[in-house]
Amino acid sequence: MDAIRVRGNGPLSGRIPVGGAKNAALPILCATLLSDGASLLRNVPGLRDIETTSALLRFLGRDVAVAAPEVRVSAASGPIRPEAPYELVRQMRASVLVLGPLVARHGRAKVSLPGGCAIGARPIDQHIRGLEALGATIRVEHGYVVAEAPRLKGAEIVFDLPTVTGTENLMMAAALAKGRTTLVNCAREPEVEELGRVLNKMGAKVEGAGTDIIVIHGADALDPFDHAIISDRIEAGTFMAAVGAAGGDVLLEHAPIDDLEPVIVKMRQAGVEVERDGEHMRVRRVKPLRAVDVTTAPHPGFPTDMQAQFMAMMCVAEGQSVLTETIFENRFMHVPELCRMGADIDTRGHTAFVTGVKGLSGASVMATDLRASASLVIAGLVAEGDTIVRRVYHLDRGYEHIEKKLAGVGADIARVPLEGMP
Ligand code: EPZ
């Protein structure tokens, strides 16, 4: 079991490569189930969630070769076992993304209910109601969703609220349904748009992915694909927050600047300079940080996946910032840990009042979820003394070599064995 030790070491400078988007790679890996052919995914980050999804595809009956940044899913060689067990699904909720492809391609799917996670209950009622609208019969029994349909039929579906994986699940199911499907009130995240590109490469006809209305004309069969995944806007945003907090001048290579508009606006308001540099993004902070209010919202609002990292930055800004989390019910678990480092944060319900302090002090802290872990690392970059972040397996789910990338721009950070840590 490892930990990450980070020590405040002044401003950052240099270049950081931004990897492929985890939350695009996961649905696209599941989309390989819609075709029997061999598919190739490029620019895939080397993450635990990618390994977990690959293990799930193997369990279902596909051969998967992971050699980051490439993942090859082989042609189907035998029958698919359309069952995703609790043991795998509980490790990663996004496993629910095999539900749509399996019932669309094989007429049956038995997928463990993901259960809640640290940040919230994470129901999948919208996924289930959408599949029923496409003609699937759904039973929920013994903690599993069992979906069956000889052939899905196109339908008109309105989501009660924008759901990223709900939209993605139904796009994939509709891609093999008979006739036309209209999805209304869709999630508009860039990763949803990317899935639409891949489904079109496979021979589906998807219009409007990335907007709130998506029309899918189902195909009778879909082809395999070769696709390079878009860059990860949340990884890039996390490094923006690191520069904002520690100061400095860093070039984020291949950062998806066009997908980061809401984050860039708030960063600039806080005193962080952001500018395009070819296909890269330059991030500088030399002036004192200013407190800025943020309310998370579905894209193109400020991403909930950036809330914890932005909060870490606001801990050392001048003034008070008000951060409101509207997407998940329990996404402030980084707050008590940041307070142990000397941050001044008062939470009332889904709102955190962050009063900037002159400096933070290093402490031994506990990661609780993926983005909370990143916020603790960012806080450690500006804390006096050592910060030991435990349970770094949370970080490894969504960040590839974060300690190496930060050390490469001057941070005093390393992965250390936990044994013997204070
Ligand atoms: C995706 O999760 C992302 N994961 C999350 O990133 C991200 O935080 C989230 O979207 C919001 O942007 C992947 O893409 C793999 P939702 P998802 O369905 O799809 C409610 C990370 O850090 N809801 O958009 O599970 C739900 O409770 C992860 O990389 C229902 O009520 O999120 C939440 O309040 C964390 N019923 C809201 O919708 C449903 O059927 C948005 O959730 C589905 C969702």
Side-chain angles (χ1 to χ4, degrees):
M1 182 84 85
D2 289 341
I4 282 188
R5 179 200 52 69
V6 49
R7 188 177 297 155
N9 192 35
L12 306 174
S13 73
R15 305 167 73 104
I16 296 180
V18 176
K22 167 179 86 81
N23 289 349
L26 299 181
I28 291 169
L29 274 169
C30 297
T32 61
L33 292 168
L34 291 165
S35 163
D36 294 342
S39 291
L40 174 61
L41 288 76
R42 305 171 191 272
N43 196 35
V44 181
L47 302 172
R48 214 154 64 86
D49 275 7
I50 300 298
E51 291 293 348
T52 304
T53 307
S54 302
L56 176 56
L57 293 179
R58 291 186 194 107
F59 184 89
L60 296 172
R62 296 302 286 271
D63 287 333
V64 184
V66 178
E70 289 190 352
V71 176
R72 290 177 187 281
V73 180
S74 68
S77 53
I80 281 277
R81 174 176 46 182
E83 300 200 4
Y86 175 68
E87 198 38 47
L88 284 170
V89 176
R90 74 178 182 79
Q91 295 177 43
M92 186 191 67
R93 310 179 17 72
S95 308
V96 73
L97 284 166
V98 299
L99 186 60
L102 286 175
V103 72
R105 174 73 192 80
H106 299 283
R108 187 177 187 280
K110 182 179 177 187
V111 178
S112 168
L113 280 166
C117 75
I119 62 177
R122 314 290 293 275
I124 59 166
D125 56 297
Q126 302 293 307
H127 302 235
I128 290 171
R129 285 174 49 186
L131 287 173
E132 285 176 329
L134 292 175
T137 54
I138 306 263
R139 294 192 320 275
V140 178
E141 56 189 29
H142 310 301
Y144 279 78
V145 177
V146 180
E148 290 170 326
R151 171 84 193 263
L152 294 175
K153 290 184 184 53
E156 294 189 331
I157 297 164
V158 184
F159 290 106
D160 296 342
L161 77 174
T163 155
V164 174
T165 50
T167 302
E168 291 164 345
N169 233 338
L170 292 173
M171 285 166 72
M172 291 189 281
L176 276 180
K178 187 168 181 51
R180 186 174 85 167
T181 295
T182 303
L183 302 176
V184 181
N185 196 21
C186 298
R188 296 181 273 171
E189 273 68 4
E191 294 77 25
V192 174
E193 187 173 4
E194 177 76 341
L195 176 63
R197 288 185 201 100
V198 169
L199 292 175
N200 282 332
K201 269 191 181 178
M202 297 177 76
K205 196 161 175 300
V206 178
E207 296 151 1
T211 75
D212 57 353
I213 296 182
I214 302 175
V215 178
I216 302 113
H217 301 270
D220 293 333
L222 292 171
D223 301 325
F225 59 86
D226 176 338
H227 188 77
I229 308 277
I230 54 172
S231 297
D232 194 318
R233 63 194 169 100
I234 304 300
E235 185 193 21
T238 300
F239 290 125
M240 293 172 81
V243 177
D249 185 347
V250 171
L251 190 75
L252 297 182
E253 297 173 336
H254 308 297
I257 197 163
D258 296 328
D259 295 340
L260 278 160
E261 202 55 38
V263 176
I264 291 170
V265 168
K266 290 296 180 180
M267 287 285 173
R268 285 176 173 155
Q269 288 172 359
V272 180
E273 296 164 57
V274 183
E275 57 191 26
R276 191 186 295 271
D277 182 343
E279 58 179 28
H280 312 305
M281 181 168 77
R282 187 174 178 195
V283 183
R284 298 176 69 231
R285 204 271 289 169
V286 288
K287 299 174 291 199
L289 267 183
R290 293 189 295 270
V292 169
D293 296 347
V294 159
T295 296
T296 63
H299 194 77
F302 189 91
T304 174
D305 291 350
M306 275 297 302
Q307 178 256 110
Q309 301 92 305
F310 198 83
M311 186 185 290
M313 200 174 99
M314 290 292 101
C315 290
V316 290
E318 287 178 359
Q320 183 182 74
S321 58
V322 180
L323 308 184
T324 304
E325 171 58 54
T326 70
I327 306 293
F328 291 114
E329 56 267 37
N330 189 30
R331 208 167 196 178
F332 280 159
M333 284 172 295
H334 42 288
V335 171
E337 298 304 296
L338 290 170
C339 291
R340 294 184 59 246
M341 297 176 69
D344 180 354
I345 307 171
D346 176 25
T347 55
R348 277 172 240 151
H350 292 181
T351 299
F353 299 85
V354 184
T355 305
V357 294
K358 280 270 171 283
L360 299 174
S361 59
S364 190
V365 290
M366 190 76 79
T368 50
D369 62 86
L370 169 54
R371 307 305 174 180
S373 323
S375 82
L376 298 176
V377 169
I378 291 169
L381 292 174
V382 293
E384 187 269 323
D386 281 0
T387 295
I388 309 290
V389 183
R390 298 161 182 263
R391 295 187 182 172
V392 287
Y393 58 83
H394 288 297
L395 260 181
D396 295 338
R397 290 192 53 182
Y399 294 96
E400 186 176 13
H401 306 316
I402 191 170
E403 74 279 4
K404 288 183 187 153
K405 291 185 176 184
L406 287 169
V409 289
D412 183 349
I413 184 170
R415 187 176 287 256
V416 295
L418 190 54
E419 290 65 43
M421 279 291 142

